Amino acid sequence: MLDKDIESVLISQTDIQNIVSRLGREITRDYHDRFPIVLGLLKGCVPFMAELLKVLDFHLEVAFMNVSSYHGGIESTGDVRIDMDLASPVKGRHVLLTEDIIDTGRTIKAVSDLLLYRGAASVKVVTLMDKPEGRIKDFVPDYIGRSIPKIFVVGFGLDYEERYRNLPYVGVLKEHVYTTKE
Ligand code: PRP
C-alpha cells in the first residue's frame, strides 16, 4: 500500500543488508575492546540501529535520546530539541552515535558537543545516509552507509509528517504526496 506513493527506490533492502554488514565489520574491528554506548537518536534510527546491533559482535550498551529538528516537515527548522535525554552516564565512556541521516549536521553536532561536554571519552558517528551537500555545520561522520544527493527521502526510519518510517527501503516520494495532502 505504501509503495504506491514512492516514485523511485534509492536504497533497496538488499543494499541496506550489504551496507549494514560492511559497517558491522568496520565497527566491530574498531570497538571490540571498548564496551561502548551505542546511542540511537530517535526516532529515525530505529530500523537501522536494530539491523546494525545484530552484526556488532562485541559487548556494548544500548541507549537512546530523542532529538528532533524537522518537526514533521521536509526541511530542518534549525531548532534542535532534546525531547528525551539518555539515562546512562557518559563520563569516561566511548559513545557511538547512530543516525539514519545527516543533512545540515545541526542535530549530530549539537549532540556530539553535548556528550563531549559531559565527559565522554570519545564520540563517533555512524549514519546510514549522509547528505554532504546539505551541510550547514561542518561535520564528517566516522562511518557512512551511503552518501546521497540533496533530495528528500523517506523509509527505513525516515518520515514525511510521521508517515513512511515503516517502509523497508529508502525511496523518493511522489510529488503529489506533498501537493495534495489533506
Ligand atoms: C532527522 C534525522 C536526524 C536529523 C538530520 O531527525 O533522524 O536526526 O533529522 O538532520 P540535520 O543533519 O539537518 O540535523 P528528525 O529531526 O526529523 O527527527 P526524527 O528522527 O524523529 O524523524
Side-chain angles (χ1 to χ4, degrees):
M1 172 197 168
L2 298 180
D3 282 346
K4 71 173 176 16
D5 294 343
I6 302 300
E7 180 73 47
S8 59
V9 175
L10 186 71
I11 310 182
S12 70
Q13 295 187 68
T14 310
D15 293 340
I16 292 172
Q17 277 170 12
N18 291 334
I19 288 169
V20 167
S21 303
R22 171 177 57 80
L23 292 173
R25 285 194 299 275
E26 293 175 14
I27 295 168
T28 299
R29 182 193 63 208
D30 297 348
Y31 278 90
H32 63 93
D33 56 355
R34 293 187 154 197
F35 187 46
I37 299 176
V38 177
L39 175 55
L41 299 189
L42 296 168
K43 303 172 204 169
C45 74
V46 169
F48 173 52
M49 187 159 160
E51 290 305 305
L52 187 66
L53 285 174
K54 291 190 264 181
V55 296
L56 298 183
D57 187 18
F58 54 87
H59 290 296
L60 55 82
E61 183 176 340
V62 173
F64 295 98
M65 276 174 91
N66 193 353
V67 183
S68 59
S69 66
Y70 279 61
H71 313 314
I74 66 166
E75 285 199 24
S76 165
T77 60
D79 163 31
V80 179
R81 201 175 61 197
I82 295 181
D83 296 325
M84 184 194 84
D85 210 340
L86 83 169
S88 316
V90 296
K91 196 167 171 45
R93 300 293 301 274
H94 296 286
V95 181
L96 179 65
L97 280 168
T98 307
E99 268 287 26
D100 50 345
I101 191 163
I102 297 175
D103 184 3
T104 66
R106 284 185 180 121
T107 307
I108 205 70
K109 181 83 174 74
V111 176
S112 297
D113 288 352
L114 176 67
L115 296 170
L116 288 169
Y117 171 78
R118 288 177 178 174
S122 70
V123 179
K124 286 192 177 186
V125 174
V126 55
T127 185
L128 173 63
M129 282 171 282
D130 186 24
K131 225 190 242 186
E133 287 169 55
R135 261 337 170 271
I136 288 172
K137 294 276 182 191
D138 251 358
F139 196 88
V140 181
D142 301 277
Y143 307 94
I144 298 170
R146 171 86 63 90
S147 276
I148 66 164
K150 200 169 161 30
I151 46 173
F152 182 71
V153 289
V154 296
F156 212 69
L158 288 98
D159 71 306
Y160 171 58
E161 302 202 326
E162 293 304 328
R163 298 174 198 221
Y164 304 102
R165 292 190 198 273
N166 50 323
L167 270 181
Y169 56 83
V170 177
V172 179
L173 270 183
K174 287 185 180 160
E175 206 179 315
H176 77 80
V177 178
Y178 310 112
T179 46
T180 60
K181 83 179 196 194
E182 321 94 57

